Amino acid sequence: MTIFIEHKLRIALCLALIPACSGSQPANAGSGGVSSSAGAGTSGGSAAGSPSSAGSTGTTGGGGSSTTGSAGAVGVGGSAGAVGLGGSAGAVGVGGSAGAAGAAGNAGAAGNAGAAGAAGGAGLLAIASSFDKFRFECPCIDADHFGLDKIDNCNNAPSVEHQTYSKKLAGDVNVVYDVKLRVRGDTEPNTYVKGKLDPNGRFYVGGETSAPTYSAYMLTVADPQQVYFFNYNATTSHMHFLIDYEVTIPMRGGTTLTFEVNGGKSMPDGHDASNREQLVVPGIAPAPEPYNGQLVQFDVVSVDARP
């Protein structure tokens, strides 16, 4: 009896002390896991370096280690997304740079082409060097025929009353070149007919003089054959004026050019209209002094080959 009572007391004592024996029971181990899980969640959040919400999720999940791992994966995924967006932005920037570089390349090519063209034109000037800066001079016999007290004519030496000079254009005989000349000088007028007056009012293409006793300044090109006059005026008189203009004349490579004073139908009479007004031709000798008589100078401006 005593043993039975003692046994019942032990049972009653154990029931009263159930919390103290929980470490050996599976059900009670679940309750203990709450505390361990919370600790694991906190530790997992710190290790992942992710927001504190990841640790909170671990606590709620009831499996601290597993939940913490999921939270870490989400954090890594977020980082990957940000890197991806950054990559796209970088690609767009690279594309923009490539476009700008292409445009710059095209501009450079155009500049090179222009330089080559200029060099070609400069090289062709040499084929007209035989008459570049060629000039007629028709001085007065008296050394100083200046001033309005002098008569409007002056006498000329016979050697300058009629002048003829033969020049040659170099270049390819199979090519016609457009030769641009700048014509400057001081001269008396002449009238010409049977040809065509240039819009500049002084240059006359073709024809012949209609005032044979006035000075004619002329050029004959053998090929393409044509005659040109440089001192046209609507009327003649003992006047004196400046000329300064540019004209383009076609010339075949190797052709002969004949420059003349008083050629064709002109009849030299031994005197010319004088420069008593003391006109100065800018940019050519004897500027800034006036020339004592008449002169016409030809400067080659450009030479271009026709296609």
Side-chain angles (χ1 to χ4, degrees), residues 194-248:
K194 301 180 182 179
K196 182 179 180 181
L197 179 64
D198 187 84
N200 67 38
R202 297 297 186 192
F203 181 61
Y204 196 89
V205 180
E208 60 189 31
T209 179
S210 57
T213 60
Y214 283 80
S215 295
Y217 295 93
M218 56 190 292
L219 164 66
T220 302
V221 177
D223 188 6
Q225 199 285 324
Q226 189 59 274
V227 60
Y228 305 93
F229 301 94
F230 300 98
N231 62 324
Y232 175 87
N233 198 61
T235 60
T236 56
S237 67
H238 292 173
M239 65 179 289
H240 209 259
F241 53 82
L242 297 178
I243 58 175
D244 187 350
Y245 58 83
E246 293 183 353
V247 291
T248 299

Side-chain angles (χ1 to χ4, degrees), residues 282-296:
I284 61 175
E289 300 299 323
Y291 183 74
N292 184 35
Q294 299 183 29
L295 67 85
V296 179

Side-chain angles (χ1 to χ4, degrees), residues 127-207:
I127 72 172
S129 61
S130 67
F131 52 90
D132 183 29
K133 295 180 174 53
F134 168 75
R135 63 193 277 168
F136 297 122
E137 293 189 0
C138 300
C140 297
I141 289 178
D142 52 316
D144 184 6
H145 200 95
F146 296 126
L148 297 180
D149 58 322
K150 300 292 197 297
I151 63 172
D152 52 16
N153 272 352
C154 70
N155 294 327
N156 301 128
S159 60
V160 302
E161 269 290 278
H162 178 73
Q163 303 177 42
T164 302
Y165 304 91
S166 181
K167 305 288 183 179
K168 278 218 177 256
L169 180 72
D172 188 339
V173 297
N174 298 309
V175 176
V176 173
Y177 300 91
D178 286 323
V179 180
K180 181 182 286 188
L181 299 175
R182 183 179 181 185
V183 184
R184 287 179 287 178
D186 60 86
T187 176
E188 66 184 61
N190 204 326
T191 55
Y192 304 98
V193 294
K194 301 180 182 179
K196 182 179 180 181
L197 179 64
D198 187 84
N200 67 38
R202 297 297 186 192
F203 181 61
Y204 196 89
V205 180

Side-chain angles (χ1 to χ4, degrees), residues 24-126:
S24 62
Q25 302 298 322
N28 292 336
S31 298
V34 173
S35 174
S36 298
S37 175
T42 301
S43 174
S46 298
S50 303
S52 58
S53 57
S56 175
T57 301
T59 301
T60 303
S65 298
S66 173
T67 303
T68 300
S70 299
V74 171
V76 173
S79 299
V83 172
L85 292 174
S88 298
V92 171
V94 172
S97 299
N106 292 337
N112 292 337
L124 288 176
L125 287 174

